[in-house]
Amino acid sequence: MTRVRFAPSPTGYLHIGGVRTALFNWLWARKTGGVFVLRVEDTDRERSTMESVRIILESMKWLGLYWDEGPEVGGPHGPYTQMQRLPIYDDYAKRLVREGKAYRCYCTKEQLEAQRGELRARDPKATFKYPGTCRRRSDEPNLPFVVRLRAPEGGSVTYMDEIFGEITTPNAAQQDFVLLRSDGVPLYNFGAVVDDVTMGITLVARGRDHMVNTPPQILIYEALGLRPPAFAHLPMMLAVNGEKLSKRHGAVSVGEYRDQGYSPHAVLNYLARFGWSHGDREVFSIDELVAAFDWADCNRSDGKFDGKKLLATNHEHLKSARLTSDEEYADRTLPFLQARGLEVDRDRVREAVWLIRERATTFADAADRLDFVFREPPNFDPAAASKFLVASSAARLRELTDVVAGVESWTVPALEAVIQAWLSANSLSIKDVAQPARVALTGRAASPGLYEVMVALGRTRTLGRLRSAASAGA
C-alpha cells in the first residue's frame, strides 16, 4: 500500500509552497487508495511553537487536506511529533554504533571551529568537511558526544527520481555527518529516515531543494540494511523576480488567502497546476485532480508564483456552480458579511448568490458586492450620490417608481419589458435613468444589472429606495 507523508516544521505559518508538497502527496494517496501521514518535525526547539502547530493543523483542515494518521487522529505508528520520539532515535543510533556503522564523536564546537579557521587560512574558498577525527577512536570517555555516520569513502549513491529520472552522487561529496546531537535530538536527515522507516513510508515527495538531502538519507538506509523508499522532487516555487518565494513577496501563507476570501479548492487547483499539467486544462475540481494526477506529468522546471493567475483561478471557481455550490458560496461568504456588521442568515445569502456570482473574484469581494442587498438603507458613496441623486433626476426616479409599481410578475424579463416600453414611449434611453436608479438602489455607481438588482431587493424595498432617493434629490 502507498504510504506518503507531509512533515512541516512548526516554526510559523503554513507556507503556500509547503501546501503544494502536501497536496501532491495527498493526491497520490487518494488516487492509489493509500495513506496520507501528517507528522510534525519540531526539533528546532528555539523556533517551534504549539501556536504554529495549531495554525498548520487549521490550515490543512481549511484546505480539505485531511490526514489519515497524525496529530489529533492518531494511528499505529505514533507519536507523530518528533520531540516525543527521542527514545526511538536513540535506539536506532545505538544500533548503528554497535554495528560499526556509526560512531561517537567527542569533538567540541571549539575544536571544529579551530579546524575551520585553519582551512580558511590555507584556502578561503575551500568547504570544510569533518576530517574523521573520532572515526577510529575506541575509548568511551565520560564526555558529551554526538553520533556520526561512518560514511563510505568511495562509490556513489544512485536512485531513480519519479520526476528527474536517475540521479547519481559520488560519496566523496559526503562526510561523516551527525545523526544525533549530544542532547539526543536528531539532525534532520536522521530524524526523517527513522520516522519514514518506522511509519512505513513508501514514497517521499518534497521540493527540489531537498535533493541535497537524498544521498545522505540513502546512506542511512543502507547503513540500516533497508531499502529506501521512492523519491519525487518537485520543481521550486519562485517569486516573480526568480528568488525563493518568501513573505516579502506577498501573501504566501494559507491563513492570508483564507482571510482574503479565497476558495480552498481554487488554491489547491492553482497549486496543482504549479509543476504539474494535464494537457491545456487549467480548472479542476478536487475529485478531477485526484483522478488525473500522476508523477509522470510533473514538470522539472521551476516556476514563478503568479498572484494574478491564482486570483483568476479563484474567480473561475466562484463563477461555476459545479465547482462552488450555492450552499458553499453562502457558507464562505457569510463570515465576511457578518464582519461588515450585517445580520444575515445562510439562506438569505444563498438566495442572493446568483446576483454577483459572475463578477465576484473572492468571497470577501462577494460580501462587498452583496452589502446593499442586506443593509437598510444602503451605504451611499458620497461621490455617486452627489453626482446622480440631484434635483434633475428626482422627477425621473418618481416616474420610474410609478412604472415598476405596476409590474405584476417581479422578474427580470417583466421589469425589463415594462421599463423599456416606458423609455420608448417617452423618447428616453436607459442611460437617462440607469445611474440615478442604480445609486438609489445600491448606494453605488457600479453594481449588477439594474433589473437584477430590483429582483434581488424585491418589490417593497425597490419601491421604497426609489421613493426615498427621489425625495432626497427633490
Side-chain angles (χ1 to χ4, degrees), residues 9 40-48 81-93 145-148 177-192 194-195:
S9 298
V40 179
E41 297 189 342
D42 61 343
T43 55
D44 186 342
R45 288 182 288 178
E46 291 184 1
R47 299 172 59 214
S48 296
T81 300
Q82 284 191 325
M83 288 303 292
Q84 298 176 0
R85 297 172 59 80
L86 298 187
I88 301 175
Y89 309 127
D90 184 63
D91 286 345
Y92 273 82
F145 63 88
V146 300
V147 176
R148 290 182 181 272
F177 51 86
V178 176
L179 303 176
L180 203 66
R181 296 187 179 96
S182 59
D183 59 3
V185 176
L187 271 291
Y188 169 73
N189 284 327
F190 187 55
V194 171
D195 289 344

Side-chain angles (χ1 to χ4, degrees), residues 87-374:
I88 301 175
Y89 309 127
D90 184 63
D91 286 345
Y92 273 82
K94 286 178 178 176
R95 168 187 161 185
L96 290 174
V97 171
R98 284 197 308 270
E99 295 176 354
K101 308 288 184 59
Y103 60 91
R104 296 175 177 178
C105 173
Y106 299 91
C107 295
T108 65
K109 292 182 179 179
E110 292 75 15
Q111 289 172 322
L112 294 174
E113 187 55 42
Q115 292 173 344
R116 288 190 183 91
E118 292 172 1
L119 178 63
R120 284 195 297 269
R122 295 195 305 271
D123 184 356
K125 296 182 179 180
T127 299
F128 177 76
K129 289 176 61 176
Y130 176 69
T133 306
C134 297
R135 186 180 176 101
R136 294 171 179 81
R137 189 168 181 166
S138 58
D139 60 330
E140 297 183 0
N142 186 24
L143 295 171
F145 63 88
V146 300
V147 176
R148 290 182 181 272
L149 183 76
R150 196 181 299 275
E153 297 176 311
S156 60
V157 167
T158 298
Y159 67 96
M160 183 63 68
D161 191 278
E162 297 288 332
I163 298 172
F164 286 86
E166 186 175 277
I167 306 291
T168 297
T169 304
N171 288 332
Q174 303 298 331
Q175 60 177 317
D176 289 358
F177 51 86
V178 176
L179 303 176
L180 203 66
R181 296 187 179 96
S182 59
D183 59 3
V185 176
L187 271 291
Y188 169 73
N189 284 327
F190 187 55
V193 168
V194 171
D195 289 344
D196 288 341
V197 167
T198 54
M199 295 179 186
I201 302 302
T202 60
L203 170 69
V204 174
R206 54 195 179 185
R208 182 181 60 78
D209 54 331
H210 277 285
M211 291 181 82
V212 66
N213 293 314
T214 304
Q217 288 182 6
I218 290 177
L219 290 179
I220 296 173
Y221 278 103
E222 291 177 348
L224 292 170
L226 298 172
R227 181 179 179 179
F231 290 94
H233 291 95
L234 309 174
M236 294 295 292
M237 184 176 291
L238 305 176
V240 175
N241 61 4
E243 296 178 352
K244 187 175 181 179
L245 189 65
S246 66
K247 183 77 172 177
R248 64 190 180 87
H249 295 118
V252 294
S253 77
V254 173
E256 287 180 81
Y257 289 114
R258 178 197 60 212
D259 296 344
Q260 290 177 13
Y262 280 76
S263 162
H265 314 306
V267 172
L268 295 179
N269 185 164
Y270 174 76
L271 293 176
R273 289 288 289 111
F274 200 102
W276 171 83
S277 60
H278 190 68
D280 295 328
R281 187 173 178 182
E282 295 286 345
V283 180
F284 297 80
S285 69
I286 299 302
D287 288 343
E288 289 165 347
L289 284 175
V290 170
F293 182 77
D294 195 281
W295 298 110
D297 297 322
C298 291
N299 308 321
R300 297 184 180 184
S301 300
D302 296 338
K304 296 180 179 180
F305 184 82
D306 187 339
K308 292 181 179 179
K309 189 171 182 179
L310 170 58
L311 184 61
T313 301
N314 199 69
H315 191 192
E316 290 299 320
H317 273 256
L318 267 60
K319 285 194 297 184
S320 171
R322 180 182 69 85
L323 298 172
T324 308
S325 68
D326 285 352
E327 289 74 18
E328 180 182 0
Y329 205 118
D331 283 339
R332 296 193 184 279
T333 303
L334 186 58
F336 293 98
L337 288 165
Q338 292 171 336
R340 301 173 75 88
L342 294 168
E343 295 184 7
V344 60
D345 61 40
R346 175 180 182 265
D347 289 340
R348 289 183 66 200
V349 179
R350 179 177 54 78
E351 291 170 358
V353 165
W354 66 274
L355 185 65
I356 46 83
R357 186 186 272 278
E358 281 294 316
R359 297 176 179 85
T361 57
T362 67
F363 294 118
D365 183 30
D368 178 66
R369 291 173 183 269
L370 286 173
D371 189 289
F372 76 89
V373 177
F374 305 112

Side-chain angles (χ1 to χ4, degrees), residues 356-431:
I356 46 83
R357 186 186 272 278
E358 281 294 316
R359 297 176 179 85
T361 57
T362 67
F363 294 118
D365 183 30
D368 178 66
R369 291 173 183 269
L370 286 173
D371 189 289
F372 76 89
V373 177
F374 305 112
R375 192 182 299 279
E376 197 64 50
N379 283 332
F380 284 91
D381 173 22
S386 63
K387 182 176 180 180
F388 295 108
L389 300 186
V390 294
S392 59
S393 64
R396 200 75 73 197
L397 287 175
R398 282 192 291 270
E399 292 176 32
L400 176 63
T401 305
D402 293 338
V403 168
V404 298
V407 176
E408 294 183 4
S409 176
W410 200 261
T411 64
V412 169
L415 287 165
E416 182 176 11
V418 169
I419 291 174
Q420 288 295 335
W422 167 64
L423 293 173
S424 178
N426 290 275
S427 301
L428 299 172
S429 68
I430 190 65
K431 68 179 181 180

